[in-house]
């Protein structure tokens, strides 16, 4: 029995900034952003949109009445939680109208959480093939105005429906996991922004990939030629390319070109969105599937997931016959086309205008599932 991703969608905020304009405002050569880290635009969200807003919008387009009746687990992966106790998945359960006898919870381990959620979902559906699991990665990456991490911010969500007999991708049983207690990126309770050791984070990311890749070769007798493409967690688009390039020294020029070209296809959406934390790997997966026209059914896609602190995992999935018919390319193009570009002054104002749940407020954001009011510290969403 195959288990895998049956439906797949992402949602990004309706505002963005241009990285050339940000570079000019910060007195930086624009090439440092466009070439050095590989970013062209960055998604920005107003205070009325949060991880629940993103998650609900990502999920609503892939769920029909049968799905709502069959889903018995909702998993949200995030490092941008809105409550220290109550899981956002519980709110989503109600907003989406999923049947009541379901399990709902959050997973946290930096940017790795969605992969943990997928593996949990895989095992659950394997035991209960008549059920489905909704896994959503939803985050807001913020480092502060004029900070070193500012050009690697972003926001959005990816929703994945896991089921038996999936229509897009089927899991292989080849997972390789790695845990190391390293402080390359962390955010203590009470801190608005994370603390980052940039050089250590980059080094740990690349070394973690090399370690799990080497173990994949040993454990699964894998070869690079076994994979149609390798997809990476993308905190910024050059990061994954550095990791991929580190294992391409002894391969043929033809194979190197194939893998690097398909890596670039996987970064198309991230270049216009920025860092989505838990969703970044899966935004890259969607970008590859929708922008690379030569992938074939039954070909294997390798995925490298990384969460600072740190946990890494390498696993693979196989494309299902006819997967192209179940992608939402037109919806995603429309999302990008309909965004509003902000000036740097507008961006800075939106960034600094934070939601205050200690006061009662009403808002007029008509984006589906946006926050319409706060009352007694509770967020109420537009339905």
């Amino acid at each position: 029995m195959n288990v895998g991703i049956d439906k797949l969608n992402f949602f990004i905020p309706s505002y963005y900034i241009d990285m050339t304009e940000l570079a000019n405002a910060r007195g930086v050569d624009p090439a440092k952003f466009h070439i050095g880290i590989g970013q062209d635009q960055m998604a920005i969200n107003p205070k009325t949109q949060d991880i629940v807003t993103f998650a609900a919008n990502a999920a609503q387009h892939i769920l029909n009445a049968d799905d709502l009746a069959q889903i018995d687990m909702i998993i949200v992966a995030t490092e941008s939680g809105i409550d220290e106790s109550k899981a956002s998945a519980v709110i989503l359960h109600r907003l989406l109208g999923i049947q009541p006898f379901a399990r709902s919870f959050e997973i946290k381990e930096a940017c790795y959480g969605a992969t943990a959620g997928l593996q949990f979902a895989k095992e659950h559906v394997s035991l209960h093939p008549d059920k489905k699991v909704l896994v959503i990665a939803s985050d807001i990456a913020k480092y502060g105005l004029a900070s070193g991490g500012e050009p690697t911010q972003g926001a959005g969500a990816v929703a994945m429906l896991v089921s038996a007999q999936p229509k897009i991708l089927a899991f292989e049983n080849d997972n390789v996991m790695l845990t190391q207690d390293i402080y390359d990126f962390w955010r203590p309770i009470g801190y608005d922004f994370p603390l980052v050791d940039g050089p250590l984070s980059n080094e740990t990311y690349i070394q973690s990939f090399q370690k799990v890749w080497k173990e994949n070769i040993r454990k699964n007798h894998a070869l690079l030629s076994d994979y149609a493409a390798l997809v990476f967690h993308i905190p910024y688009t050059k990061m994954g390319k550095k990791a991929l390039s580190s294992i391409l020294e002894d391969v043929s020029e033809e194979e190197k070109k194939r893998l690097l070209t398909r890596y670039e296809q996987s970064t198309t959406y991230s270049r216009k969105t920025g860092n989505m934390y838990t969703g970044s790997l899966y935004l890259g997966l969607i970008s590859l599937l929708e922008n690379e026209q030569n992938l074939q059914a039954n070909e294997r896609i390798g995925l490298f997931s990384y969460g600072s602190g740190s946990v890494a995992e390498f696993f693979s999935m196989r494309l299902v016959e006819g997967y192209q018919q179940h992608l939402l390319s037109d919806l995603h193009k429309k999302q990008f086309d309909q965004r509003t570009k902000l000036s740097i002054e507008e961006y800075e104002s939106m960034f600094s205008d934070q939601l205050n749940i200690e006061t009662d407020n009403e808002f007029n954001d008509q984006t589906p599932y946006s926050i319409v009011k706060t009352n007694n510290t509770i967020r109420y969403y537009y339905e």
Side-chain angles (χ1 to χ4, degrees):
M1 177 184 64
N2 286 332
V3 174
I5 297 175
D6 190 54
K7 299 180 183 181
L8 187 62
N9 186 36
F10 71 82
F11 177 83
I12 53 175
S14 53
Y15 300 95
Y16 75 97
I17 58 170
D18 178 83
M19 297 302 281
T20 295
E21 294 180 7
L22 180 64
N24 291 335
R26 302 294 181 252
V28 174
D29 181 352
K32 183 177 180 180
F33 292 170
H34 291 289
I35 300 174
I37 64 173
Q39 295 298 140
D40 298 325
Q41 298 170 351
M42 187 167 72
I44 307 296
N45 65 289
K47 66 182 180 182
T48 50
Q49 297 177 18
D50 62 13
I51 62 165
V52 172
T53 304
F54 304 154
N57 276 288
Q60 68 166 338
H61 291 288
I62 61 172
L63 302 180
N64 58 34
D66 289 339
D67 297 327
L68 297 176
Q70 290 178 275
I71 291 170
D72 69 345
M73 189 182 302
I74 306 98
I75 304 173
V76 173
T78 186
E79 53 182 289
S80 314
I82 61 172
D83 192 282
E84 295 285 4
S85 180
K86 182 172 181 173
S88 56
V90 174
I91 303 171
L92 283 168
H93 175 272
R94 176 183 60 82
L95 290 177
L96 296 171
I98 293 168
Q99 62 87 19
F101 299 101
R103 179 184 292 143
S104 303
F105 60 95
E106 279 185 9
I107 289 180
K108 178 186 74 178
E109 182 7 68
C111 300
Y112 167 77
T115 297
L118 274 184
Q119 303 309 322
F120 200 112
K122 170 187 172 184
E123 298 303 325
H124 181 77
V125 173
S126 295
L127 291 172
H128 308 282
D130 59 328
K131 302 298 182 183
K132 299 179 181 180
V133 179
L134 178 63
V135 179
I136 304 179
S138 189
D139 265 307
I140 300 170
K142 276 192 170 184
Y143 296 95
L145 297 175
S147 67
E150 183 182 32
T152 62
Q153 298 177 136
V158 175
M160 298 171 278
L161 186 66
V162 177
S163 73
Q165 305 308 317
K167 299 183 185 70
I168 298 177
L169 289 154
F171 290 108
E172 295 284 283
N173 293 309
D174 58 355
N175 304 57
V176 175
M177 298 77 72
L178 175 72
T179 294
Q180 304 173 103
D181 186 8
I182 298 173
Y183 276 85
D184 59 329
F185 171 107
W186 68 106
R187 181 159 64 94
I189 292 174
Y191 278 60
D192 291 333
F193 304 124
L195 305 175
V196 185
D197 183 333
L200 178 61
S201 185
N202 292 342
E203 177 185 351
T204 304
Y205 178 109
I206 293 173
Q207 289 185 350
S208 295
F209 171 65
Q210 292 172 337
K211 288 177 180 178
V212 294
W213 176 252
K214 184 177 180 180
E215 179 66 7
N216 179 47
I217 294 173
R218 187 199 68 80
K219 177 183 175 183
N220 297 311
H221 309 290
L223 301 171
L224 265 175
S225 57
D226 294 332
Y227 301 91
L230 297 182
V231 183
F232 290 74
H233 165 56
I234 309 173
Y236 54 91
T237 67
K238 271 298 182 68
M239 188 70 257
K241 186 175 183 179
K242 291 178 182 178
L244 174 60
S245 297
S246 74
I247 65 166
L248 297 182
E249 294 179 358
D250 298 322
V251 304
S252 68
E253 286 302 314
E254 181 180 0
E255 186 149 60
K256 183 182 296 185
K257 181 180 179 181
R258 173 179 65 85
L259 290 169
L260 286 173
T261 297
R262 289 181 173 177
Y263 175 78
E264 293 300 331
Q265 299 281 38
S266 77
T267 68
T268 300
Y269 293 161
S270 294
R271 291 189 72 96
K272 298 187 285 187
T273 304
N275 194 353
M276 204 184 279
Y277 281 165
T278 52
S280 293
L281 168 61
Y282 301 100
L283 180 65
L285 175 62
I286 297 172
S287 182
L288 172 70
L289 299 183
E290 295 184 355
N291 289 288
E292 173 55 59
Q293 304 302 313
N294 295 315
L295 295 172
Q296 303 295 321
N298 206 43
E299 285 189 322
R300 182 193 278 183
I301 308 296
L303 298 97
F304 173 65
S305 181
Y306 177 78
S308 294
S310 67
V311 177
E313 185 162 345
F314 183 86
F315 65 104
S316 69
M317 307 187 78
R318 288 194 183 273
L319 289 163
V320 175
E321 184 74 42
Y323 76 91
Q324 300 95 331
Q325 301 169 26
H326 304 285
L327 302 175
L328 301 177
S329 306
D330 291 342
L331 175 63
H332 298 150
K333 182 179 186 302
K334 185 177 179 181
Q335 278 197 71
F336 284 116
D337 290 346
Q338 292 185 345
R339 292 189 301 173
T340 299
K341 180 182 174 184
L342 299 176
S343 67
I344 299 305
E345 292 76 14
E346 290 171 326
Y347 148 66
E348 291 176 346
S349 176
M350 186 176 287
F351 186 100
S352 301
D353 185 22
Q354 299 297 305
L355 187 71
N356 183 358
I357 62 170
E358 298 294 337
T359 61
D360 296 343
N361 291 293
E362 294 189 4
F363 306 103
N364 191 34
D365 187 339
Q366 296 299 303
T367 302
Y369 304 112
S370 289
I371 300 168
V372 292
K373 72 174 181 178
T374 57
N375 181 258
N376 194 27
T377 74
I378 299 173
R379 304 175 188 215
Y380 292 85
Y381 296 89
Y382 178 76
E383 300 179 51

